[in-house]
Each structure stands twice: as structure tokens, then as C-alpha cells.
Amino acid sequence: METLSALELHQLAMNHVGKDLEAKGFEFIAINSQLKKHPQFVCVDKPTNTLHFVLVQVATYPNHPQQYDVVWMETFKAHAEKLKAKVLFAGVGIANANDVEKPIYKTDDYAIFYEGYVEIS
């Protein structure tokens, strides 16, 4: 059986976060789906017209999707502040729906664990 690649997992996470942002009224300016290229989404919160950089991180079990490199995040946050943008972090966990201990196969169902994005301030 073939497992989902890192890029496929990343794209699943991005699709999930993108739908959430859209449902919350964000307007997309740019989307970057390449691995390890940040931010994934550049968008504007329509009511406040505030620029947001959204960083999407995918994690597979047993890794926790909300954990990120604090030093790297501070560097990115400093860059965003220069552009008067806010940074949102969206951690997405993906696991095999039948058994979290197993890899995520292309033919199996998967479960998504997403608690929403958080503002990095």
C-alpha cells in the first residue's frame, strides 16, 4: 500500500485551513502550497482590512499539530510586523482513521484534528 506523501499531507491541511479562513470571511491575496515555504496564505480580514500571514503546519500522530519552532516563529513575526501584518498559525493533525498507530495510506480514510488557527503575538 502506498502512503500519502509529505506534500499530499500538506495539501490536505491547506485545503482544510483554507475552507476555515474562507468561512470566517478572509479574502485571499496569495496562496503558496510549496513545502517549507511560508506563509501559505496571505489574506485580508475584510471587516478590519488587516493583512494576515497564515502559516499551516501538518503533523502526523504522535506529533502534536500545535507545536512549532518558537525561535523561527519570532523571526517570521518580526518580518510580518515590518509589513504591518498579523501572523496566524494553523496546526493540523492528520491520522489514519482506523488506527492512529498506522501510516496514512492513500486507500484509507483519514481523520483531521484541527482546533482552528491562533494569532501569534
Side-chain angles (χ1 to χ4, degrees), residues 18-26 45-47 114-117:
K19 288 177 185 174
D20 181 42
L21 293 168
E22 190 173 44
K24 291 181 174 150
F26 284 88
D45 180 0
K46 289 181 192 177
Y114 176 65
E115 297 175 345
Y117 54 81

Side-chain angles (χ1 to χ4, degrees), residues 1-2 6 9 11 14 18 23 29 31 36 44 70 75 77 79 82 85 89 94-95 97 103-104 106 117 121:
M1 284 197 225
E2 192 175 354
L9 291 168
Q11 289 171 336
M14 283 193 56
I29 296 171
I31 299 172
K36 300 186 186 215
V44 174
V70 175
T75 303
K77 191 174 81 173
H79 169 70
K82 290 177 190 172
F89 174 77
I94 302 178
I104 305 162
K106 290 186 177 186
Y117 54 81
S121 53

Side-chain angles (χ1 to χ4, degrees), residues 44-117:
V44 174
D45 180 0
K46 289 181 192 177
T48 64
N49 204 30
T50 304
L51 183 64
H52 289 81
F53 293 154
V54 184
L55 309 172
V56 178
Q57 175 178 285
V58 67
T60 55
Y61 181 84
N63 300 309
H64 194 283
Q66 294 298 331
Q67 292 179 338
Y68 56 84
D69 181 334
V70 175
V71 173
W72 180 87
M73 188 63 78
E74 288 299 317
T75 303
F76 191 84
K77 191 174 81 173
H79 169 70
E81 287 173 352
K82 290 177 190 172
L83 300 171
K84 297 182 180 168
K86 292 187 177 185
V87 176
L88 303 178
F89 174 77
V92 180
I94 302 178
N96 185 310
N98 299 316
D99 183 350
V100 296
E101 298 286 336
K102 289 185 178 177
I104 305 162
Y105 298 108
K106 290 186 177 186
T107 57
D108 288 346
D109 291 332
Y110 55 86
I112 291 185
F113 306 96
Y114 176 65
E115 297 175 345
Y117 54 81

